[in-house]
Amino acid sequence: MRERYLPASTLSGLLGEWADGTGPAYRVLAERLRLLIADGRIMPGSRLPSERELTDALGVSRTTVASAYRELRDSGYLMSRRGSGSVTALPSKVMPELGRHHAPGIDAEGLYDFTCAAPSAIPGISTAVASAAAELPVHLTTPGYHPQGLPVLREEIAAAYEERGLPTSPDQIIVTAGALAATSIAVRAITQIGDRVLTESPTHPNSVDAIRRSGCRVVAVPMSPGGWDLPLLEATIRQTAPRAAWMVVDFQNPTGWLMSAADRQRLALAFARSRTTAIVDETLFELSLDGQEMPPPFASYDPDGVITVGSVSKSFWGGLRVGWMRVPEALVARVLDARASMDLGTPVLEQLVVAGLLRQRSTLLPERRAELARRRDALADAVSLELPSWRFRLPSGGLSLWCELPEPVGSSLVGVAQRNGVLLVAGSRFSPDGGLESFIRLPFTLDTDALREGVRRLAESYGDPGTPTRRTGAMIA
Ligand SMILES: Cc1ncc(COP(=O)(O)O)c(C=O)c1O
């Protein structure tokens, strides 16, 4: 693994106000560092500053830093390498639980896993797989490579856009291995190293990582307590003229906000004026839970300028690994070019399965939405009852409650909760710039009994002396 050096000043910034007086300083420091590593804010393989450098930066005794490093070494979060100092690591047993590439369900037996906002497969998927298998033989005589996607699936996807009032040709559709892959490809296709890409904050962290890994600089615009701050977005677009913007306007992950038609129109105009290509991620679009009418697709306000990303991960099943892009005609060749160095297509069988599922979406999705609405309400009730000082807005769709705690204790709560069998991701992970320590995202994807028991244990953890709390204030629904 290639090491990256974390300067003492950067580490000191990440630690923030860590000395909270709840125990010996070295132990508090070790716990803060452990959470930063486990939470993905400090990447495994990062070389920490020397004990002397960190001692100077934090203004603590050398013994405090030395003892904290020793604790981390003993618990497997730090390795000493001759010549390269102290390098962070994830002990293998916590990797599936807390690593940033957490795989939901794996090794999570007996744990209440709130780290992943993705439901299990819809009932009926096995039937769709059986029908797809029956269609497979005609494809077996071909090489099976379809860099743009199987025509039959592209037709279904294009028809779904037409149904939403956005004229779309199957030639504009590119099938990918999920929405994240689509975002990576789109960013690669339209940006160059050093370009600015605008995003919301908070937002889906893996997509931000994908943008950064393409060499782009992320310009994160904070969401306001009432949703998107249009004047702030417009001002930021004017001032920074980003090359691209990656936005989640349908039940934004993690806040759950849905952008109004008027704001879509206004934002699309701002992007067009600054020649910013909007990449709009509609992964959660199908999950409206209160029967409301959905606003027109963002791309309908600039059909030749916006790239739309879609996926069946949340509507049908993440295990299918099928997503897509709707690309303006003039960009199709460039996007396919960018894709060619990443992969050469999506598995044929899965594409056939998804084509079948999309054909039946009007019968399959209502039950999906009804079940998620039940889970959302059960989670909201449980949080209101067990954690009355947490505030959240009941989202009209999507997969999670975005909870604000009275104090910035998110990262410490993650560690305490884990010891109580509850896996969480701290709010800071959803912030491209750090911060958001007062927030926790709670997905409502577990079944209702598990949600209730998970929240009960979470409330116990929140009351644990390891997490400083003040039980005041009322929740807002
Ligand atoms: C906004 C958003 N985009 C992309 C993804 C990943 O989707 P996929 O599984 O299709 O790659 C997620 C999953 O949480 C998401 O919330």
Side-chain angles (χ1 to χ4, degrees):
M1 190 185 311
R2 225 175 68 222
E3 287 157 15
R4 67 193 80 202
Y5 178 57
L6 199 64
S9 54
T10 311
L11 183 51
S12 164
L14 283 169
L15 285 164
E17 291 294 322
W18 60 274
D20 59 6
T22 56
Y26 80 90
R27 206 161 264 161
V28 179
L29 177 59
E31 180 62 5
R32 270 304 281 174
L33 284 167
R34 190 186 73 77
L35 288 166
L36 286 168
I37 299 164
D39 208 19
R41 302 282 310 283
I42 299 178
M43 296 284 281
S46 306
R47 184 157 61 83
L48 296 190
S50 70
E51 290 175 9
R52 189 185 44 74
E53 286 165 333
L54 193 58
T55 300
D56 290 349
L58 299 182
V60 294
S61 77
R62 177 88 176 249
T63 324
T64 300
V65 174
S67 308
Y69 276 16
R70 197 187 49 244
E71 285 243 323
L72 290 170
R73 236 172 257 128
D74 290 349
S75 53
Y77 286 88
L78 210 54
M79 290 180 306
S80 294
R81 288 204 191 134
R82 200 183 290 266
S84 30
S86 302
V87 176
T88 59
L90 279 176
S92 52
K93 76 177 175 358
V94 304
M95 232 158 19
E97 299 162 16
L98 281 177
R100 46 200 277 137
H101 305 299
H102 171 73
I106 293 179
D107 286 357
E109 225 168 276
L111 296 171
Y112 294 84
D113 187 350
F114 286 91
T115 62
C116 188
S120 50
I122 44 157
I125 210 149
S126 308
T127 318
V129 172
S131 313
E135 291 169 40
L136 191 61
V138 290
H139 296 276
L140 298 178
T141 56
T142 75
Y145 286 82
H146 297 274
Q148 187 161 358
L150 275 187
V152 60
L153 176 55
R154 289 192 282 118
E155 278 157 27
E156 284 302 328
I157 296 167
Y161 283 116
E162 296 264 347
E163 212 173 86
R164 293 167 64 198
L166 178 61
T168 303
S169 142
D171 294 340
Q172 289 178 261
I173 304 297
I174 299 173
V175 179
T176 63
L180 181 59
T183 292
S184 299
I185 296 167
V187 170
R188 272 203 194 187
I190 59 176
T191 63
Q192 296 190 336
I193 289 177
D195 278 349
R196 280 185 279 265
V197 177
L198 184 137
T199 70
E200 296 122 335
S201 174
T203 190
H204 180 240
N206 303 59
S207 302
V208 171
D209 291 347
I211 294 165
R212 290 210 163 113
R213 294 223 173 214
S214 297
C216 295
R217 287 175 289 167
V218 169
V219 179
V221 181
M223 299 287 286
S224 79
W228 288 267
D229 183 336
L230 262 287
L232 180 62
L233 277 163
E234 286 166 333
T236 311
I237 294 166
R238 261 197 320 275
Q239 285 157 17
T240 62
R243 175 68 201 87
W246 180 79
M247 307 284 297
V248 185
V249 298
D250 301 300
F251 311 120
Q252 204 256 2
N253 183 4
T255 64
W257 284 104
L258 174 65
M259 189 183 280
S260 69
D263 283 358
R264 289 171 193 231
Q265 185 166 22
R266 198 169 143 185
L267 194 53
L269 186 65
F271 286 140
R273 278 205 188 111
S274 74
R275 296 165 184 250
T276 300
T277 304
I279 303 167
V280 176
D281 185 325
E282 293 188 343
T283 295
L284 296 131
F285 151 78
E286 293 284 11
L287 304 182
S288 74
L289 304 183
D290 290 332
Q292 70 272 45
E293 202 183 310
M294 290 296 285
F298 193 97
S300 54
Y301 298 102
D302 187 6
D304 297 326
V306 172
I307 295 180
T308 305
V309 164
S311 171
V312 296
S313 289
K314 316 292 171 161
S315 46
F316 297 140
W317 190 36
L320 289 163
R321 305 307 313 136
V322 173
W324 58 84
M325 264 181 275
R326 178 199 180 277
V327 180
E329 264 159 32
L331 288 179
V332 171
R334 197 174 347 153
V335 174
L336 284 172
D337 239 28
R339 189 224 182 114
S341 61
M342 294 177 79
D343 67 6
L344 296 172
T346 311
V348 170
L349 182 62
E350 276 75 357
Q351 292 190 72
L352 292 171
V353 174
V354 172
L357 290 170
L358 285 176
R359 274 193 289 274
Q360 299 174 65
R361 67 184 177 287
S362 58
T363 47
L364 291 173
L365 287 173
E367 180 43 36
R368 170 65 119 197
R369 295 184 188 116
E371 179 55 31
L372 284 173
R374 278 193 287 278
R375 293 179 183 196
R376 173 197 62 181
D377 295 344
L379 178 63
D381 288 349
V383 175
S384 305
L385 183 72
E386 305 274 1
L387 290 156
S389 66
W390 290 25
R391 298 161 71 88
F392 62 89
R393 182 189 64 92
L394 196 71
S396 60
L399 290 167
S400 49
L401 300 186
W402 181 236
C403 301
E404 182 170 8
L405 284 53
E407 294 96 4
V409 295
S411 290
S412 1
L413 182 58
V414 172
V416 181
Q418 193 200 359
R419 289 195 280 281
N420 238 341
V422 178
L423 302 183
L424 297 173
V425 183
S428 52
R429 180 71 183 105
F430 297 87
S431 163
D433 295 330
L436 298 180
E437 271 292 329
S438 305
F439 288 86
I440 291 282
R441 183 190 73 168
L442 291 181
F444 39 85
T445 43
L446 299 174
D447 67 41
T448 48
D449 286 345
L451 287 171
R452 287 190 194 105
E453 177 58 16
V455 171
R456 197 190 60 71
R457 286 175 182 230
L458 183 54
E460 264 173 31
S461 316
Y462 187 58
D464 189 292
T467 316
T469 61
R470 198 185 316 126
R471 290 176 173 262
T472 52
M475 88 86 200
I476 41 164

